[in-house]
Amino acid sequence: MADAAESHGGGNEPQRVLEFYSGIGGMRYSLIRAGVKAQVVEAFEINDRANDVYEHNFGHRPYQGNIQCLTAADLDGYGADAWLLSPPCQPYTRQGLQKDTGDARAFSFLQILELMPFLLKPPSLLFVENVVGFEVCQLGLTHKTNFVTQEFILSPLQFGIPYSRPRYFCLAKRKPYSFVNEIWNRQLIQSPGPLYEHFDTAFIEDDLSQEDRHKLLQSCQPIESFLELKNPSNNIEAESATLGKGDDNVCDSLQQYYVPLSLVERWGSAMDVVYPDSKRCCCFTKSYYRYVKGTGSLLATVQPEKRDKASLKEQCLRYFTPREVANIHSFPEDFKFPDHISLKQRYALLGNSLSIAVVAPLLQYLFANPQ
C-alpha cells in the first residue's frame, strides 16, 4: 500500500477510511454524498442496535469491541489515510455535567488521539464532529502530531435544510498538505462560505440580525418537503393508509404519532410547534417521542384554513415519524431500519446521528487536494 500522504496527494487508489463511532451510518452516507473516492476499511461502534442498522444498509457489521483496547499496531494494520470521528457528545453538552475530557465517556476518543504519535502510518486526514462546546478541548494533539486545522460551527439552516442544529467540526490535514483555502487555517469558521471558495464574513446563526435571519430561513426548503404525508388532514385513518406504504410496516396506524391531549394540556407552553410550511424546526434528540419538552419540534396537522382559529389542543399535534426525521437529517431514500428495531430505538438512534447535508460538503472540502 502507498504511504498515506502519497495517496492523499492524488493517487489512483481510493482513500482508506476508518469510521469511529459509526452509529447508523451517517458519516458513511456523507462520504458517499461527497463523491469522495474512498473505501471504509473498518467502522467501530459499541451500540448493538446501531450496528444492526449499519449492517442492514451497508452489508458490513462494525467492530463492536471497546476501541480503548486498540493498540498503535492495530491501527497501523488498517493503513488508513483518514479517520472520521463522531464521539459521544454528552461530556460537552450544555445540559450535561460539562466535565469535558474528565468524563469517562470521552476516554475512548482521547485514547485514540494519544496513540497517534506512536503510529508508523498516521492518517493524513482527520474529521471530528460534535456539539458546540466541544471546541473548548482544542484537540491540542493535532498540533503535536504535525497537523494543520480548520474548525467550523455550522447548522443545516445554512445549507437550505429547515433544521436548527449547530454543530462543531474539526478538519485536520497532516503537513505538508493543507487546505484549498489556506487563509482559514487555525481558525474557527462559522460560515460555509470557505467550502465553496466564498470568502464572506463568518457568522453563526445566533449572531444574525433579524433581517439576515429572515433571509436565511427563506432560503430553506419548507418542512413539508421532508414529510411522508404531503397533505395535512384530520382523518387519521386515511393518513395511516398513506404512511404504511413508506415506513417499513412499523405501525398499523398513524394514531401512535399523535400527541395525547393530556400531554398538550400539561406541556403545551413548552412545546415547539411547527407547520408544513414552516422553514425551521428544532433539533431532534435521542429522547424524542419519549418526552415532549426540549426534545424536538411537533407538527401541527390542522387544516390550514383552521390554523389561526384553532387552540393548541385543536392543532392535531403529532411527532415527526422516524422516516421524516431521517429525511431532515438528509439520509437517502434507500436508508432503512431492520424490522426488529423498535420505534423508540429508531428515534434514539436518529437523535445520535448527524446532518448529512452539512457533513458531506465538509468531507468534500477535507479530501480535496490543495491548490
Side-chain angles (χ1 to χ4, degrees):
M1 154 149 188
D3 177 77
E6 178 185 342
S7 176
H8 176 60
N12 293 324
E13 295 297 319
Q15 304 289 300
R16 294 174 63 85
V17 174
L18 288 183
E19 183 185 4
F20 295 91
Y21 314 99
S22 53
I24 58 177
M27 194 75 78
R28 185 160 179 174
Y29 278 122
S30 298
L31 199 62
I32 295 171
R33 179 163 171 167
V36 174
K37 186 178 181 181
Q39 174 191 4
V40 177
V41 294
E42 188 55 276
F44 302 88
E45 174 58 58
I46 200 169
N47 186 306
D48 189 54
R49 289 292 174 262
N51 287 340
D52 289 345
V53 179
Y54 192 103
E55 183 178 21
H56 184 73
N57 287 282
F58 296 109
H60 170 78
R61 191 171 189 84
Y63 174 87
Q64 200 164 325
N66 188 344
I67 60 177
Q68 288 180 246
C69 298
L70 293 173
T71 66
D74 293 330
L75 294 172
D76 270 329
Y78 292 109
D81 303 306
W83 290 4
L84 311 181
L85 307 99
S86 185
C89 65
Q90 290 88 346
Y92 309 94
T93 57
R94 296 172 183 172
Q95 291 80 13
L97 298 178
Q98 298 183 331
K99 294 182 179 180
D100 300 341
T101 56
D103 193 305
R105 288 168 293 192
F107 289 165
S108 61
F109 173 68
L110 295 177
Q111 174 71 14
I112 294 169
L113 292 185
E114 287 170 358
L115 289 175
M116 198 171 296
F118 303 99
L119 297 179
L120 298 176
K121 300 176 182 178
S124 294
L125 308 174
L126 288 177
F127 181 90
V128 181
E129 181 266 358
N130 216 280
V131 295
V132 175
F134 189 83
E135 66 272 16
V136 298
C137 72
Q138 296 179 345
L139 299 179
L141 286 171
T142 59
H143 301 289
K144 296 178 182 178
T145 50
N146 207 30
F147 278 85
V148 62
T149 64
Q150 290 187 8
E151 299 169 275
F152 292 81
I153 293 178
L154 298 173
S155 171
L157 291 171
Q158 295 167 292
F159 295 82
I161 308 297
Y163 188 38
S164 181
R165 195 187 194 225
R167 300 285 285 190
Y168 166 78
F169 305 92
C170 179
L171 285 60
K173 289 193 175 190
R174 182 159 57 89
K175 297 176 183 178
Y177 296 101
S178 187
F179 294 89
V180 173
N181 296 324
E182 295 185 8
I183 189 174
W184 300 107
N185 286 356
R186 296 176 296 279
Q187 294 194 42
L188 179 61
I189 308 152
Q190 301 181 26
S191 164
L195 305 181
Y196 307 105
E197 301 186 42
H198 298 160
F199 295 93
D200 56 354
T201 303
F203 63 83
I204 189 170
E205 180 188 336
D206 292 343
D207 294 335
L208 294 176
S209 67
Q210 191 68 29
E211 181 180 356
D212 287 340
R213 184 177 289 110
H214 177 73
K215 291 180 180 178
L216 178 63
L217 294 182
Q218 289 306 307
S219 69
C220 291
Q221 302 176 61
I223 286 174
E224 63 187 351
S225 300
F226 301 84
L227 301 179
E228 291 185 89
L229 307 171
K230 303 299 182 183
N231 299 315
S233 170
N234 292 330
N235 189 333
I236 294 176
E237 293 182 359
E239 289 182 329
S240 301
T242 303
L243 181 66
K245 296 179 181 179
D247 198 39
D248 293 330
N249 297 318
V250 171
C251 61
D252 297 323
S253 169
L254 185 65
Q255 179 68 54
Q256 64 183 321
Y257 294 110
Y258 276 83
V259 182
L261 291 180
S262 59
L263 291 180
V264 177
E265 292 174 352
R266 182 175 182 181
W267 299 108
S269 61
M271 293 175 176
D272 182 74
V273 177
V274 297
Y275 298 90
D277 59 356
S278 296
K279 296 292 188 76
R280 174 176 177 160
C281 64
C282 290
C283 177
F284 297 104
T285 74
K286 66 179 182 179
S287 297
Y288 190 67
Y289 192 76
R290 291 196 297 138
Y291 304 101
V292 296
K293 182 180 178 181
T295 62
S297 298
L298 300 170
L299 182 69
T301 61
V302 66
Q303 294 285 355
E305 61 271 16
K306 300 179 181 178
R307 180 189 302 179
D308 295 337
K309 297 180 180 180
S311 67
L312 189 60
K313 290 193 295 183
E314 296 171 328
Q315 295 283 340
C316 300
L317 303 182
R318 72 164 175 87
Y319 297 94
F320 286 78
T321 70
R323 179 64 252 185
E324 291 167 347
V325 177
N327 290 344
I328 291 172
H329 279 90
S330 301
F331 275 77
E333 291 184 6
D334 59 359
F335 167 77
K336 303 290 183 183
F337 283 102
D339 289 342
H340 70 275
I341 304 297
S342 71
L343 188 61
K344 289 183 179 180
Q345 288 170 340
R346 296 177 187 215
Y347 283 121
L349 293 169
L350 286 165
N352 285 329
S353 194
L354 49 76
S355 173
I356 294 170
V358 178
V359 174
L362 284 165
L363 289 178
Q364 191 174 54
Y365 178 66
L366 174 65
F367 279 84
N369 293 327
Q371 293 181 345

